[in-house]
Amino acid sequence: MERRFTYVVDQCEAGITIEQYLKKRGYSRQVMTHLKRTENGILLDGNWAYTRDTVAAGSRLDIRISEEGASEKIAPVCLPFDIVYEDKDLMVVNKPGNMPVHPSMNHHDNTLANAVAWSCREKGEYFPYRCINRLDRNTTGLLILAKHMLSAAVLYGQMRERKIRRIYLAIVKGRLEHPGVIALPIGRKEGSAIERAVDMERGERAVTHYRPLRWGDGWTLVQCILETGRTHQIRVHMSCLGHPLPGDFLYCPGDHTIDRQPLHSWKLSFRHPITGEKMEFTQPLPADMVSYMSRTEGK
């Protein structure tokens, strides 16, 4: 994967260093280090330059990012997933259920990373796998993948600054009548490698805004907006509220009315990491959630 970018310095930025100029555009220390080690990584008015060199009004900066190959430890595997949007800098995908985002000890070849590696190989396009937002294995919906290190650096920055807006749809047990905010810290549950719990002493800040949308016999479709992004945040918060997600083997054990927790990453909005254009995507509810509601809606 190779990307080239050209900038022309404005009068208001004359006199600053190349490093300062690039940092203002989201270049991280890691990207800067990469550019120093890349042939023709930074050219100032056509000449090789140091990041400490200063720029003048009208100066031209040419940047070359070159990353060889895909992630070595991710095996390409033909698995179904949908590409919602793609350009030279990023990919937005719709992750199906029962698919982890990353390979792990128990999941070597059934992950989204494997599926993306296969798709890229088929197109003859290779880039390191960088997933910006995370979803649990059984959560469906929208995810952002960065296709090079600058795109990743800018998008990770948006995540840290809470500029990537994430809206989820969840089916919860019981009837929720009114919108609200859950602000309860979440931490790892003692004695468990994967389970999380509200922990007022050691937990990290976690805030979920929720709003009921539809009701059926013993369930509510809820819209959730994350202010923070803790592991299992919606699942833990809804369970703590007394409205766990059916089919959730961790937080609603014994409920088998659906094969997974009905949680879906429905909407993502963010700024394009290179152009700054506002990007917004939605993905309809998956068939299993629609089927669950249609069985008992209005009863």
Side-chain angles (χ1 to χ4, degrees):
M1 168 65 69
E2 178 174 297
R3 288 289 276 130
R4 294 175 182 264
F5 304 100
T6 297
Y7 307 97
V8 178
V9 179
D10 291 332
Q11 178 67 47
C12 63
E13 293 180 299
I16 66 175
T17 66
I18 291 175
E19 181 175 8
Q20 291 170 326
Y21 184 91
L22 294 178
K23 277 186 175 179
K24 291 174 68 174
R25 283 149 184 81
Y27 285 69
S28 65
R29 181 178 299 178
Q30 179 188 12
V31 178
M32 227 88 75
T33 299
H34 169 82
L35 294 177
K36 293 174 186 178
R37 297 172 178 173
T38 301
E39 183 179 1
N40 294 327
I42 303 173
L43 297 179
L44 178 60
D45 294 325
N47 300 307
W48 185 83
Y50 293 99
T51 55
R52 64 175 179 268
D53 292 342
T54 58
V55 295
S59 291
R60 171 178 165 143
L61 269 178
D62 292 299
I63 304 297
R64 175 176 175 255
I65 294 174
S66 179
E67 297 184 272
E68 297 298 328
S71 302
E72 294 180 359
K73 296 182 180 180
I74 299 176
V77 181
C78 184
L79 298 169
F81 78 103
D82 296 323
I83 298 175
V84 178
Y85 172 84
E86 183 176 15
D87 62 23
K88 294 180 180 180
D89 304 301
L90 63 90
M91 180 187 290
V92 177
V93 306
N94 179 32
K95 187 186 83 66
N98 196 30
M99 177 182 279
V101 171
H102 294 95
S104 63
M105 184 180 299
N106 298 318
H107 299 280
H108 299 285
D109 56 7
N110 65 332
T111 73
L112 179 64
N114 301 116
V116 171
W118 175 278
S119 174
C120 291
R121 189 180 71 175
E122 292 299 290
K123 293 183 291 187
E125 179 184 84
Y126 301 92
F127 59 88
Y129 181 76
R130 297 183 178 99
C131 191
I132 304 303
N133 56 318
R134 309 289 178 89
L135 296 179
D136 299 334
R137 175 170 61 91
N138 280 327
T139 299
T140 58
L142 295 167
L143 281 168
I144 311 169
L145 305 179
K147 296 179 74 170
H148 54 78
M149 62 173 59
L150 174 57
S151 180
V154 175
L155 288 167
Y156 283 139
Q158 289 185 36
M159 282 290 287
R160 286 192 301 272
E161 296 167 12
R162 299 174 189 165
K163 292 181 178 178
I164 296 181
R165 185 174 172 85
R166 296 164 290 163
I167 302 179
Y168 292 77
L169 297 178
I171 299 172
V172 302
K173 292 175 71 72
R175 188 175 181 93
L176 260 177
E177 295 283 356
H178 305 289
V181 179
I182 307 171
L184 294 170
I186 293 175
R188 191 184 299 274
K189 185 175 182 179
E190 188 173 352
S192 175
I194 59 172
E195 194 171 352
R196 300 308 196 264
V198 169
D199 188 331
M200 302 304 293
E201 294 183 359
R202 296 172 297 175
E204 296 182 284
R205 178 176 178 269
V207 181
T208 303
H209 301 255
Y210 66 89
R211 181 167 65 92
L213 300 177
R214 289 163 61 181
W215 298 267
D217 184 17
W219 60 265
T220 305
L221 178 67
V222 181
Q223 174 183 289
C224 296
I225 300 177
L226 297 183
E227 190 174 312
T228 55
R230 307 303 172 202
T231 300
H232 300 176
Q233 180 171 317
I234 292 173
R235 298 162 64 188
V236 171
H237 273 172
M238 287 295 133
S239 179
C240 187
L241 198 65
H243 296 277
L245 280 63
D248 189 333
F249 74 99
L250 280 178
Y251 307 106
C252 193
D255 186 304
H256 304 293
T257 55
I258 187 170
D259 292 335
R260 65 176 182 93
Q261 74 266 4
L263 180 59
H264 180 65
S265 175
W266 169 66
K267 188 173 186 177
L268 277 177
S269 56
F270 56 95
R271 292 285 178 182
H272 192 282
I274 305 304
T275 68
E277 175 188 359
K278 184 177 180 180
M279 313 288 286
E280 186 170 280
F281 303 94
T282 59
Q283 193 65 27
L285 283 173
D288 60 346
M289 291 179 67
V290 173
S291 176
Y292 183 94
M293 292 188 297
S294 66
R295 294 199 301 266
T296 56
E297 188 166 22
K299 290 187 179 180

